[in-house]
Every structure is written in C-alpha cells, then in structure tokens.
Amino acid sequence: MPLWLFAFLGALAVIASLGVILQRNPVHCLLALVLTFIDLGALYIGLGAETVGLLQIIIYVGAILIHFLFVIMLLNLQTEPVLGGAFGLKLLGALGAAALAAELAVLFLHGAPPLPAAALPVGYGSVASIARSLFSDHLIAFEVTSVLLLAAGAGPVGP
C-alpha cells in the first residue's frame, strides 16, 4: 500500500471517529461509525489482511451496525439539550484528553524501540488457515459460541 493512501485512509478514519463522538444526532453518530469501520476494513485489505478486512466490513458494517441503526430508529431517540451538567462533562472530557495525551507522550518518549517484525509463514491469515485453526484447535469454543448465538437469536421469538 502506498504511503499516501495509508495516510489518507488513516486521516479519514480519525476524522470519521471524531464524527462519532462529536455528533449530537444518534443516527449521524452511527453513520460516522459505519464510515470508520469501512475505512478500517480498507486499511486491513491494503495491508495484506484481506480476510480480516472483508470480515470487518461484512460482519460489523453489514450486520451489527445495521442492527444498531434499526434499534435507534425503533426507539426514536431524540437529542436532548444538556442544561446543568454541560460544564462538568466538558471539564471531565478535557481532563481525560489531557491524561491520554500525557500517557501517549510518556509512551513515545520513554518507550522501548519496536522489535523488527518476524516473517510470517506462507498462507498466514488466509481463509484456509483460519478455518483449520477454528475447526481443530478451537472447535469446542466455536460450537459453544454458535449455540449461544442461536439461543440468543431464537430467544425473542418464543412466547
């Protein structure tokens, strides 16, 4: 992936994620989150993890966030003005942002330099290798998860 494309997609992801937290309308927040997840999927694909990128887009954007959108629309959430606690919330947010900036400064200034990346085996991250690992080493966890998801999906249908 060219550096300019990576920088563009990274900046777009940051701007879209800021849209998630700065929008007042819940539907607009969710649409910004959709853009963020699509952008992350594009970054994964561009960095060579095609399976993870496509799963990111298909599962998160195509299933989970669309369900969130349906729930928001069914609940008919309206934006409410915050009267008394607006200053306190802004102060708390500013303190949290300052703490995060201090942590990042300490990490970047005093952190250990990154180790060189090891070469990955051929086929690492492919659908075949993921399926082999999922259906051999993690078979019981996979089946338990599928039964729990089936019960969660069938639960609301009952009487």
Side-chain angles (χ1 to χ4, degrees):
M1 167 183 281
L3 183 60
W4 64 269
L5 182 60
F6 181 79
F8 172 73
L9 290 174
L12 184 63
V14 169
I15 291 169
S17 62
L18 283 174
V20 173
I21 60 173
L22 296 177
Q23 297 287 332
R24 292 207 179 266
N25 189 340
V27 175
H28 294 164
C29 290
L30 191 66
L31 292 176
L33 190 60
V34 166
L35 177 62
T36 304
F37 281 159
I38 288 174
D39 190 39
L40 288 177
L43 279 170
Y44 283 134
I45 291 170
L47 293 174
E50 291 86 8
T51 304
V52 176
L54 290 175
L55 288 176
Q56 169 84 20
I57 293 171
I58 292 169
I59 293 174
Y60 282 106
V61 176
I64 295 173
L65 290 180
I66 299 304
H67 284 104
F68 285 176
L69 182 63
F70 288 152
V71 168
I72 287 173
M73 288 182 171
L74 283 174
L75 291 177
N76 195 15
L77 295 176
Q78 301 295 324
T79 57
E80 298 177 11
V82 180
L83 297 176
F87 179 73
L89 289 176
K90 288 181 182 179
L91 179 65
L92 185 63
L95 289 174
L100 178 63
E103 280 185 59
L104 288 174
V106 168
L107 178 70
F108 286 133
L109 295 176
H110 301 294
L115 299 174
L120 296 175
V122 176
Y124 181 81
S126 67
V127 176
S129 68
I130 292 173
R132 189 177 314 108
S133 173
L134 198 61
F135 292 120
S136 61
D137 300 334
H138 308 289
L139 180 64
I140 294 175
F142 178 74
E143 291 300 328
V144 168
T145 303
S146 67
V147 169
L148 285 173
L149 288 173
L150 180 67
V157 177

